[in-house]
Amino acid sequence: VVSTQSTGGRGVLGRWGPNHTATPIITRWARDKAGEVREVGGRRILQAVAVRSRTGWALPCELVLPGDRLGFGTRRAFLTDLVRHKTRKAAEDVNKSLSEMFCDGVIIYKGYVDDAKNTDNAWLETVAYNFHDHTSTSFGSLRLAADFAWVEAHSTLNVFSQHKDWLKDVVDCHGANW
């Protein structure tokens, strides 16, 4: 692994060597008020869950143990929905629904992440999974936490460059508009 920073130590990263992250790319079809899938030039429009950053948008990404698909941070995007339920049973149902939605995913990217936090001795590696809600009734039915939003995936989206590459791959996998 070659670091772009050429610095020693492990910097702000918690481990020497690879620091593993999971990048869930949670997608659904954009729909109009009537519930119909929106299109541009005959191609459907894809939306992805993103978190607001200082410079635009980013895909949710979090440190995980090697082999983990998701950590608590991904669920945090949907916690607004968990806490708005008045009964424990309703909250448990939403939590169960989230667990089922995140059980399957397609690997979009696996490997080194070019990040300013990387050093010669510690670096980020990720597995980016796409979790797609084909009917927009699973993820789409849940409200997101305040710092997360559904954004349309397109070529001019202001998002971290490597994340844009992964979004483009997801768009291509689904035959959507870019």
Side-chain angles (χ1 to χ4, degrees), residues 9-170:
R10 55 181 174 84
V12 299
L13 296 175
R15 297 174 183 256
W16 295 95
N19 285 259
H20 298 273
T21 64
T23 306
I25 306 170
I26 303 164
T27 57
R28 69 178 184 188
W29 296 117
R31 295 184 181 271
D32 61 22
K33 292 182 189 225
E36 298 299 318
V37 174
R38 293 179 34 229
E39 294 185 357
V40 171
R43 296 180 72 129
R44 296 175 289 183
I45 298 171
L46 198 66
Q47 291 180 321
V49 171
V51 62
R52 189 170 294 286
S53 71
R54 289 182 305 235
T55 58
W57 295 100
L59 295 173
C61 182
E62 57 191 324
L63 288 168
V64 295
L65 296 174
D68 283 353
R69 288 183 175 204
L70 301 169
F72 178 75
T74 300
R75 287 177 176 267
R76 188 175 71 85
F78 297 98
L79 277 182
T80 299
D81 220 59
L82 288 177
V83 299
R84 76 178 168 91
H85 293 286
K86 303 294 185 215
T87 67
R88 174 172 282 224
K89 170 77 170 109
E92 288 172 354
D93 289 346
V94 171
N95 193 38
K96 182 179 180 220
S97 178
L98 282 174
S99 296
E100 290 170 359
M101 287 185 280
F102 287 125
C103 72
D104 292 321
V106 176
I107 294 177
I108 300 298
Y109 176 82
K110 183 177 183 177
Y112 176 79
V113 177
D114 188 17
D115 192 280
K117 294 184 282 294
N118 293 344
T119 71
D120 290 340
N121 301 308
W123 58 91
L124 293 174
E125 293 182 1
T126 198
V127 179
Y129 291 92
N130 177 219
F131 300 97
H132 183 68
D133 181 359
H134 291 278
T135 61
S136 297
T137 57
S138 297
F139 295 118
S141 65
L142 300 175
R143 291 186 300 172
L144 296 173
D147 48 344
F148 291 84
W150 286 104
V151 297
E152 291 185 4
H154 55 79
S155 62
T156 60
L157 181 64
N158 185 12
V159 67
F160 176 63
S161 65
Q162 204 163 12
H163 291 184
K164 185 176 273 191
D165 294 340
W166 302 337
L167 273 176
K168 171 74 167 103
D169 291 344
V170 170

